[in-house]
Amino acid sequence: MPDQRDWDAVSDLDRDLRNGTALEITEELRDLLRRTAVDVAIPAAEAERALQREADAATLTTEVARRIREGSRRLSRALTESTRRQEAGDMDGARQALRDAQAVEVVPLYVDIAQIQLESLDGD
């Protein structure tokens, strides 16, 4: 399970980058980006390559943050739509909203959450 503190730290770094702060590669930063890259389905070898140069590490930071942010929004929309359809009695539509999110999602945690919700709908 991803550590929320790591995801928050990446989000903070991404915000700093957007505000013009340079990224300094430290061992702590490398460890953080190694962990979070895996969390969002970026291959370890790709992350290692990015950690060799500050510009590439900044790009990696931005990509990790983007996947977390966009995946979270996508999942939230899917859960809301699924609930709305379920309350309207449209169980097939409720399931489809979750399947549609899963079809494009890359962050494993968000895929798993959608799957758990699907299974709960199938259990009703």
PDB file of all heavy atoms in Angstrom, residues 32-66:
ATOM      1  N   LEU A  32      12.575   8.519  -2.249  1.00  0.00           N
ATOM      2  CA  LEU A  32      11.174   8.913  -2.384  1.00  0.00           C
ATOM      3  C   LEU A  32      10.667   8.641  -3.792  1.00  0.00           C
ATOM      4  O   LEU A  32       9.604   8.041  -3.980  1.00  0.00           O
ATOM      5  CB  LEU A  32      11.004  10.398  -2.040  1.00  0.00           C
ATOM      6  CG  LEU A  32       9.630  10.996  -2.306  1.00  0.00           C
ATOM      7  CD1 LEU A  32       8.580  10.390  -1.386  1.00  0.00           C
ATOM      8  CD2 LEU A  32       9.685  12.513  -2.172  1.00  0.00           C
ATOM      9  N   LEU A  33      11.424   9.070  -4.788  1.00  0.00           N
ATOM     10  CA  LEU A  33      10.975   8.897  -6.173  1.00  0.00           C
ATOM     11  C   LEU A  33      11.007   7.436  -6.604  1.00  0.00           C
ATOM     12  O   LEU A  33      10.159   7.012  -7.394  1.00  0.00           O
ATOM     13  CB  LEU A  33      11.785   9.776  -7.110  1.00  0.00           C
ATOM     14  CG  LEU A  33      11.515  11.277  -6.952  1.00  0.00           C
ATOM     15  CD1 LEU A  33      12.425  12.094  -7.848  1.00  0.00           C
ATOM     16  CD2 LEU A  33      10.048  11.598  -7.223  1.00  0.00           C
ATOM     17  N   ARG A  34      11.935   6.673  -6.088  1.00  0.00           N
ATOM     18  CA  ARG A  34      11.938   5.227  -6.387  1.00  0.00           C
ATOM     19  C   ARG A  34      10.652   4.581  -5.867  1.00  0.00           C
ATOM     20  O   ARG A  34      10.021   3.788  -6.565  1.00  0.00           O
ATOM     21  CB  ARG A  34      13.145   4.550  -5.742  1.00  0.00           C
ATOM     22  CG  ARG A  34      14.441   4.788  -6.450  1.00  0.00           C
ATOM     23  CD  ARG A  34      15.602   4.086  -5.732  1.00  0.00           C
ATOM     24  NE  ARG A  34      16.862   4.428  -6.358  1.00  0.00           N
ATOM     25  CZ  ARG A  34      17.875   5.025  -5.727  1.00  0.00           C
ATOM     26  NH1 ARG A  34      17.793   5.326  -4.429  1.00  0.00           N
ATOM     27  NH2 ARG A  34      18.988   5.303  -6.374  1.00  0.00           N
ATOM     28  N   ARG A  35      10.296   4.906  -4.629  1.00  0.00           N
ATOM     29  CA  ARG A  35       9.086   4.323  -4.031  1.00  0.00           C
ATOM     30  C   ARG A  35       7.826   4.761  -4.770  1.00  0.00           C
ATOM     31  O   ARG A  35       6.960   3.942  -5.088  1.00  0.00           O
ATOM     32  CB  ARG A  35       8.961   4.727  -2.556  1.00  0.00           C
ATOM     33  CG  ARG A  35       9.943   4.090  -1.628  1.00  0.00           C
ATOM     34  CD  ARG A  35       9.607   4.367  -0.169  1.00  0.00           C
ATOM     35  NE  ARG A  35       9.430   5.772   0.185  1.00  0.00           N
ATOM     36  CZ  ARG A  35      10.417   6.581   0.583  1.00  0.00           C
ATOM     37  NH1 ARG A  35      11.656   6.131   0.677  1.00  0.00           N
ATOM     38  NH2 ARG A  35      10.150   7.848   0.908  1.00  0.00           N
ATOM     39  N   THR A  36       7.723   6.042  -5.006  1.00  0.00           N
ATOM     40  CA  THR A  36       6.471   6.548  -5.579  1.00  0.00           C
ATOM     41  C   THR A  36       6.346   6.220  -7.070  1.00  0.00           C
ATOM     42  O   THR A  36       5.227   6.055  -7.549  1.00  0.00           O
ATOM     43  CB  THR A  36       6.322   8.059  -5.347  1.00  0.00           C
ATOM     44  OG1 THR A  36       7.453   8.741  -5.872  1.00  0.00           O
ATOM     45  CG2 THR A  36       6.163   8.359  -3.860  1.00  0.00           C
ATOM     46  N   ALA A  37       7.454   6.117  -7.770  1.00  0.00           N
ATOM     47  CA  ALA A  37       7.386   5.722  -9.180  1.00  0.00           C
ATOM     48  C   ALA A  37       6.751   4.342  -9.301  1.00  0.00           C
ATOM     49  O   ALA A  37       5.871   4.118 -10.135  1.00  0.00           O
ATOM     50  CB  ALA A  37       8.766   5.754  -9.818  1.00  0.00           C
ATOM     51  N   VAL A  38       7.185   3.425  -8.452  1.00  0.00           N
ATOM     52  CA  VAL A  38       6.610   2.080  -8.459  1.00  0.00           C
ATOM     53  C   VAL A  38       5.126   2.136  -8.107  1.00  0.00           C
ATOM     54  O   VAL A  38       4.313   1.438  -8.716  1.00  0.00           O
ATOM     55  CB  VAL A  38       7.380   1.160  -7.484  1.00  0.00           C
ATOM     56  CG1 VAL A  38       6.668  -0.166  -7.288  1.00  0.00           C
ATOM     57  CG2 VAL A  38       8.800   0.935  -7.981  1.00  0.00           C
ATOM     58  N   ASP A  39       4.759   2.997  -7.145  1.00  0.00           N
ATOM     59  CA  ASP A  39       3.353   3.141  -6.744  1.00  0.00           C
ATOM     60  C   ASP A  39       2.451   3.511  -7.910  1.00  0.00           C
ATOM     61  O   ASP A  39       1.269   3.166  -7.915  1.00  0.00           O
ATOM     62  CB  ASP A  39       3.189   4.247  -5.690  1.00  0.00           C
ATOM     63  CG  ASP A  39       3.723   3.897  -4.324  1.00  0.00           C
ATOM     64  OD1 ASP A  39       4.008   2.716  -4.054  1.00  0.00           O
ATOM     65  OD2 ASP A  39       3.854   4.845  -3.509  1.00  0.00           O
ATOM     66  N   VAL A  40       2.984   4.261  -8.871  1.00  0.00           N
ATOM     67  CA  VAL A  40       2.156   4.749  -9.980  1.00  0.00           C
ATOM     68  C   VAL A  40       2.489   4.061 -11.297  1.00  0.00           C
ATOM     69  O   VAL A  40       2.192   4.569 -12.369  1.00  0.00           O
ATOM     70  CB  VAL A  40       2.226   6.283 -10.120  1.00  0.00           C
ATOM     71  CG1 VAL A  40       1.707   6.964  -8.855  1.00  0.00           C
ATOM     72  CG2 VAL A  40       3.626   6.752 -10.461  1.00  0.00           C
ATOM     73  N   ALA A  41       3.116   2.884 -11.207  1.00  0.00           N
ATOM     74  CA  ALA A  41       3.379   2.015 -12.363  1.00  0.00           C
ATOM     75  C   ALA A  41       4.411   2.572 -13.344  1.00  0.00           C
ATOM     76  O   ALA A  41       4.337   2.342 -14.542  1.00  0.00           O
ATOM     77  CB  ALA A  41       2.075   1.661 -13.081  1.00  0.00           C
ATOM     78  N   ILE A  42       5.388   3.285 -12.834  1.00  0.00           N
ATOM     79  CA  ILE A  42       6.535   3.680 -13.648  1.00  0.00           C
ATOM     80  C   ILE A  42       7.609   2.644 -13.381  1.00  0.00           C
ATOM     81  O   ILE A  42       7.962   2.415 -12.214  1.00  0.00           O
ATOM     82  CB  ILE A  42       7.026   5.095 -13.294  1.00  0.00           C
ATOM     83  CG1 ILE A  42       5.947   6.126 -13.655  1.00  0.00           C
ATOM     84  CG2 ILE A  42       8.347   5.405 -13.999  1.00  0.00           C
ATOM     85  CD1 ILE A  42       6.245   7.539 -13.206  1.00  0.00           C
ATOM     86  N   PRO A  43       8.109   1.999 -14.416  1.00  0.00           N
ATOM     87  CA  PRO A  43       9.114   0.944 -14.208  1.00  0.00           C
ATOM     88  C   PRO A  43      10.340   1.449 -13.447  1.00  0.00           C
ATOM     89  O   PRO A  43      10.795   2.583 -13.653  1.00  0.00           O
ATOM     90  CB  PRO A  43       9.495   0.528 -15.635  1.00  0.00           C
ATOM     91  CG  PRO A  43       8.330   0.939 -16.477  1.00  0.00           C
ATOM     92  CD  PRO A  43       7.772   2.184 -15.829  1.00  0.00           C
ATOM     93  N   ALA A  44      10.863   0.601 -12.579  1.00  0.00           N
ATOM     94  CA  ALA A  44      12.016   0.962 -11.748  1.00  0.00           C
ATOM     95  C   ALA A  44      13.204   1.400 -12.596  1.00  0.00           C
ATOM     96  O   ALA A  44      13.894   2.367 -12.241  1.00  0.00           O
ATOM     97  CB  ALA A  44      12.397  -0.210 -10.852  1.00  0.00           C
ATOM     98  N   ALA A  45      13.436   0.732 -13.711  1.00  0.00           N
ATOM     99  CA  ALA A  45      14.573   1.095 -14.573  1.00  0.00           C
ATOM    100  C   ALA A  45      14.397   2.497 -15.145  1.00  0.00           C
ATOM    101  O   ALA A  45      15.365   3.263 -15.240  1.00  0.00           O
ATOM    102  CB  ALA A  45      14.734   0.076 -15.696  1.00  0.00           C
ATOM    103  N   GLU A  46      13.185   2.843 -15.507  1.00  0.00           N
ATOM    104  CA  GLU A  46      12.906   4.189 -16.020  1.00  0.00           C
ATOM    105  C   GLU A  46      13.140   5.236 -14.933  1.00  0.00           C
ATOM    106  O   GLU A  46      13.726   6.294 -15.185  1.00  0.00           O
ATOM    107  CB  GLU A  46      11.461   4.251 -16.519  1.00  0.00           C
ATOM    108  CG  GLU A  46      11.076   5.544 -17.180  1.00  0.00           C
ATOM    109  CD  GLU A  46       9.644   5.528 -17.687  1.00  0.00           C
ATOM    110  OE1 GLU A  46       9.154   4.472 -18.127  1.00  0.00           O
ATOM    111  OE2 GLU A  46       9.020   6.596 -17.630  1.00  0.00           O
ATOM    112  N   ALA A  47      12.709   4.934 -13.722  1.00  0.00           N
ATOM    113  CA  ALA A  47      12.915   5.857 -12.609  1.00  0.00           C
ATOM    114  C   ALA A  47      14.412   6.025 -12.324  1.00  0.00           C
ATOM    115  O   ALA A  47      14.881   7.146 -12.119  1.00  0.00           O
ATOM    116  CB  ALA A  47      12.189   5.357 -11.364  1.00  0.00           C
ATOM    117  N   GLU A  48      15.150   4.936 -12.342  1.00  0.00           N
ATOM    118  CA  GLU A  48      16.597   5.012 -12.092  1.00  0.00           C
ATOM    119  C   GLU A  48      17.299   5.889 -13.120  1.00  0.00           C
ATOM    120  O   GLU A  48      18.170   6.688 -12.770  1.00  0.00           O
ATOM    121  CB  GLU A  48      17.223   3.620 -12.073  1.00  0.00           C
ATOM    122  CG  GLU A  48      16.985   2.853 -10.806  1.00  0.00           C
ATOM    123  CD  GLU A  48      17.491   3.544  -9.557  1.00  0.00           C
ATOM    124  OE1 GLU A  48      18.580   4.164  -9.570  1.00  0.00           O
ATOM    125  OE2 GLU A  48      16.784   3.473  -8.541  1.00  0.00           O
ATOM    126  N   ARG A  49      16.912   5.733 -14.375  1.00  0.00           N
ATOM    127  CA  ARG A  49      17.505   6.573 -15.425  1.00  0.00           C
ATOM    128  C   ARG A  49      17.211   8.048 -15.155  1.00  0.00           C
ATOM    129  O   ARG A  49      18.078   8.905 -15.306  1.00  0.00           O
ATOM    130  CB  ARG A  49      16.988   6.174 -16.805  1.00  0.00           C
ATOM    131  CG  ARG A  49      17.681   4.968 -17.403  1.00  0.00           C
ATOM    132  CD  ARG A  49      17.331   4.764 -18.868  1.00  0.00           C
ATOM    133  NE  ARG A  49      15.898   4.604 -19.101  1.00  0.00           N
ATOM    134  CZ  ARG A  49      15.227   3.460 -18.964  1.00  0.00           C
ATOM    135  NH1 ARG A  49      15.855   2.369 -18.601  1.00  0.00           N
ATOM    136  NH2 ARG A  49      13.934   3.399 -19.209  1.00  0.00           N
ATOM    137  N   ALA A  50      15.988   8.336 -14.741  1.00  0.00           N
ATOM    138  CA  ALA A  50      15.587   9.725 -14.496  1.00  0.00           C
ATOM    139  C   ALA A  50      16.332  10.333 -13.311  1.00  0.00           C
ATOM    140  O   ALA A  50      16.521  11.549 -13.267  1.00  0.00           O
ATOM    141  CB  ALA A  50      14.085   9.797 -14.264  1.00  0.00           C
ATOM    142  N   LEU A  51      16.757   9.509 -12.404  1.00  0.00           N
ATOM    143  CA  LEU A  51      17.418  10.016 -11.197  1.00  0.00           C
ATOM    144  C   LEU A  51      18.880  10.380 -11.401  1.00  0.00           C
ATOM    145  O   LEU A  51      19.541  10.834 -10.478  1.00  0.00           O
ATOM    146  CB  LEU A  51      17.271   8.996 -10.062  1.00  0.00           C
ATOM    147  CG  LEU A  51      15.839   8.804  -9.583  1.00  0.00           C
ATOM    148  CD1 LEU A  51      15.753   7.635  -8.611  1.00  0.00           C
ATOM    149  CD2 LEU A  51      15.298  10.071  -8.958  1.00  0.00           C
ATOM    150  N   GLN A  52      19.356  10.239 -12.618  1.00  0.00           N
ATOM    151  CA  GLN A  52      20.753  10.550 -12.902  1.00  0.00           C
ATOM    152  C   GLN A  52      20.985  12.035 -13.174  1.00  0.00           C
ATOM    153  O   GLN A  52      22.099  12.528 -13.022  1.00  0.00           O
ATOM    154  CB  GLN A  52      21.253   9.720 -14.099  1.00  0.00           C
ATOM    155  CG  GLN A  52      21.125   8.220 -13.907  1.00  0.00           C
ATOM    156  CD  GLN A  52      21.703   7.742 -12.587  1.00  0.00           C
ATOM    157  OE1 GLN A  52      22.858   8.020 -12.284  1.00  0.00           O
ATOM    158  NE2 GLN A  52      20.895   7.043 -11.801  1.00  0.00           N
ATOM    159  N   ARG A  53      19.922  12.725 -13.592  1.00  0.00           N
ATOM    160  CA  ARG A  53      20.046  14.154 -13.919  1.00  0.00           C
ATOM    161  C   ARG A  53      18.901  14.921 -13.273  1.00  0.00           C
ATOM    162  O   ARG A  53      17.776  14.441 -13.237  1.00  0.00           O
ATOM    163  CB  ARG A  53      19.986  14.356 -15.435  1.00  0.00           C
ATOM    164  CG  ARG A  53      21.181  13.765 -16.170  1.00  0.00           C
ATOM    165  CD  ARG A  53      21.175  14.081 -17.672  1.00  0.00           C
ATOM    166  NE  ARG A  53      20.600  15.384 -17.956  1.00  0.00           N
ATOM    167  CZ  ARG A  53      19.766  15.625 -18.966  1.00  0.00           C
ATOM    168  NH1 ARG A  53      19.418  14.675 -19.795  1.00  0.00           N
ATOM    169  NH2 ARG A  53      19.291  16.845 -19.162  1.00  0.00           N
ATOM    170  N   GLU A  54      19.198  16.134 -12.823  1.00  0.00           N
ATOM    171  CA  GLU A  54      18.171  16.928 -12.146  1.00  0.00           C
ATOM    172  C   GLU A  54      16.964  17.203 -13.036  1.00  0.00           C
ATOM    173  O   GLU A  54      15.826  17.127 -12.580  1.00  0.00           O
ATOM    174  CB  GLU A  54      18.763  18.222 -11.614  1.00  0.00           C
ATOM    175  CG  GLU A  54      19.623  17.997 -10.392  1.00  0.00           C
ATOM    176  CD  GLU A  54      20.163  19.273  -9.780  1.00  0.00           C
ATOM    177  OE1 GLU A  54      19.799  20.386 -10.225  1.00  0.00           O
ATOM    178  OE2 GLU A  54      20.969  19.151  -8.845  1.00  0.00           O
ATOM    179  N   ALA A  55      17.203  17.519 -14.295  1.00  0.00           N
ATOM    180  CA  ALA A  55      16.080  17.815 -15.194  1.00  0.00           C
ATOM    181  C   ALA A  55      15.184  16.593 -15.361  1.00  0.00           C
ATOM    182  O   ALA A  55      13.950  16.711 -15.359  1.00  0.00           O
ATOM    183  CB  ALA A  55      16.595  18.288 -16.550  1.00  0.00           C
ATOM    184  N   ASP A  56      15.791  15.425 -15.495  1.00  0.00           N
ATOM    185  CA  ASP A  56      15.002  14.200 -15.646  1.00  0.00           C
ATOM    186  C   ASP A  56      14.290  13.833 -14.343  1.00  0.00           C
ATOM    187  O   ASP A  56      13.165  13.336 -14.362  1.00  0.00           O
ATOM    188  CB  ASP A  56      15.890  13.046 -16.108  1.00  0.00           C
ATOM    189  CG  ASP A  56      16.450  13.275 -17.502  1.00  0.00           C
ATOM    190  OD1 ASP A  56      15.853  14.058 -18.274  1.00  0.00           O
ATOM    191  OD2 ASP A  56      17.493  12.667 -17.824  1.00  0.00           O
ATOM    192  N   ALA A  57      14.948  14.085 -13.209  1.00  0.00           N
ATOM    193  CA  ALA A  57      14.305  13.829 -11.917  1.00  0.00           C
ATOM    194  C   ALA A  57      13.106  14.756 -11.729  1.00  0.00           C
ATOM    195  O   ALA A  57      12.076  14.349 -11.184  1.00  0.00           O
ATOM    196  CB  ALA A  57      15.309  13.999 -10.785  1.00  0.00           C
ATOM    197  N   ALA A  58      13.228  15.980 -12.194  1.00  0.00           N
ATOM    198  CA  ALA A  58      12.106  16.917 -12.119  1.00  0.00           C
ATOM    199  C   ALA A  58      10.949  16.425 -12.987  1.00  0.00           C
ATOM    200  O   ALA A  58       9.777  16.481 -12.574  1.00  0.00           O
ATOM    201  CB  ALA A  58      12.549  18.313 -12.546  1.00  0.00           C
ATOM    202  N   THR A  59      11.274  15.930 -14.167  1.00  0.00           N
ATOM    203  CA  THR A  59      10.245  15.380 -15.055  1.00  0.00           C
ATOM    204  C   THR A  59       9.569  14.177 -14.408  1.00  0.00           C
ATOM    205  O   THR A  59       8.345  14.029 -14.476  1.00  0.00           O
ATOM    206  CB  THR A  59      10.854  14.997 -16.417  1.00  0.00           C
ATOM    207  OG1 THR A  59      11.401  16.179 -17.012  1.00  0.00           O
ATOM    208  CG2 THR A  59       9.831  14.388 -17.350  1.00  0.00           C
ATOM    209  N   LEU A  60      10.354  13.323 -13.777  1.00  0.00           N
ATOM    210  CA  LEU A  60       9.801  12.162 -13.079  1.00  0.00           C
ATOM    211  C   LEU A  60       8.883  12.607 -11.947  1.00  0.00           C
ATOM    212  O   LEU A  60       7.781  12.068 -11.786  1.00  0.00           O
ATOM    213  CB  LEU A  60      10.929  11.281 -12.537  1.00  0.00           C
ATOM    214  CG  LEU A  60      10.505  10.069 -11.708  1.00  0.00           C
ATOM    215  CD1 LEU A  60       9.665   9.099 -12.532  1.00  0.00           C
ATOM    216  CD2 LEU A  60      11.740   9.375 -11.135  1.00  0.00           C
ATOM    217  N   THR A  61       9.315  13.583 -11.182  1.00  0.00           N
ATOM    218  CA  THR A  61       8.502  14.107 -10.082  1.00  0.00           C
ATOM    219  C   THR A  61       7.152  14.596 -10.609  1.00  0.00           C
ATOM    220  O   THR A  61       6.098  14.284 -10.051  1.00  0.00           O
ATOM    221  CB  THR A  61       9.234  15.259  -9.365  1.00  0.00           C
ATOM    222  OG1 THR A  61      10.477  14.769  -8.861  1.00  0.00           O
ATOM    223  CG2 THR A  61       8.404  15.832  -8.239  1.00  0.00           C
ATOM    224  N   THR A  62       7.195  15.352 -11.680  1.00  0.00           N
ATOM    225  CA  THR A  62       5.976  15.888 -12.279  1.00  0.00           C
ATOM    226  C   THR A  62       5.068  14.763 -12.776  1.00  0.00           C
ATOM    227  O   THR A  62       3.848  14.825 -12.598  1.00  0.00           O
ATOM    228  CB  THR A  62       6.344  16.845 -13.432  1.00  0.00           C
ATOM    229  OG1 THR A  62       7.088  17.933 -12.879  1.00  0.00           O
ATOM    230  CG2 THR A  62       5.116  17.376 -14.142  1.00  0.00           C
ATOM    231  N   GLU A  63       5.648  13.731 -13.373  1.00  0.00           N
ATOM    232  CA  GLU A  63       4.854  12.616 -13.885  1.00  0.00           C
ATOM    233  C   GLU A  63       4.214  11.812 -12.754  1.00  0.00           C
ATOM    234  O   GLU A  63       3.047  11.430 -12.843  1.00  0.00           O
ATOM    235  CB  GLU A  63       5.703  11.705 -14.766  1.00  0.00           C
ATOM    236  CG  GLU A  63       4.961  10.516 -15.335  1.00  0.00           C
ATOM    237  CD  GLU A  63       3.768  10.867 -16.215  1.00  0.00           C
ATOM    238  OE1 GLU A  63       3.633  12.022 -16.662  1.00  0.00           O
ATOM    239  OE2 GLU A  63       2.947   9.963 -16.473  1.00  0.00           O
ATOM    240  N   VAL A  64       4.964  11.556 -11.704  1.00  0.00           N
ATOM    241  CA  VAL A  64       4.396  10.837 -10.558  1.00  0.00           C
ATOM    242  C   VAL A  64       3.230  11.646  -9.979  1.00  0.00           C
ATOM    243  O   VAL A  64       2.142  11.108  -9.752  1.00  0.00           O
ATOM    244  CB  VAL A  64       5.470  10.562  -9.483  1.00  0.00           C
ATOM    245  CG1 VAL A  64       4.829  10.051  -8.192  1.00  0.00           C
ATOM    246  CG2 VAL A  64       6.513   9.567  -9.993  1.00  0.00           C
ATOM    247  N   ALA A  65       3.443  12.930  -9.776  1.00  0.00           N
ATOM    248  CA  ALA A  65       2.390  13.787  -9.221  1.00  0.00           C
ATOM    249  C   ALA A  65       1.176  13.829 -10.151  1.00  0.00           C
ATOM    250  O   ALA A  65       0.029  13.797  -9.682  1.00  0.00           O
ATOM    251  CB  ALA A  65       2.930  15.188  -8.980  1.00  0.00           C
ATOM    252  N   ARG A  66       1.413  13.913 -11.454  1.00  0.00           N
ATOM    253  CA  ARG A  66       0.309  13.943 -12.413  1.00  0.00           C
ATOM    254  C   ARG A  66      -0.520  12.670 -12.347  1.00  0.00           C
ATOM    255  O   ARG A  66      -1.760  12.713 -12.317  1.00  0.00           O
ATOM    256  CB  ARG A  66       0.841  14.136 -13.840  1.00  0.00           C
ATOM    257  CG  ARG A  66      -0.267  14.266 -14.892  1.00  0.00           C
ATOM    258  CD  ARG A  66       0.283  14.173 -16.303  1.00  0.00           C
ATOM    259  NE  ARG A  66       0.767  12.850 -16.623  1.00  0.00           N
ATOM    260  CZ  ARG A  66      -0.002  11.799 -16.929  1.00  0.00           C
ATOM    261  NH1 ARG A  66      -1.311  11.910 -16.935  1.00  0.00           N
ATOM    262  NH2 ARG A  66       0.544  10.627 -17.208  1.00  0.00           N
TER     263      ARG A  66
END
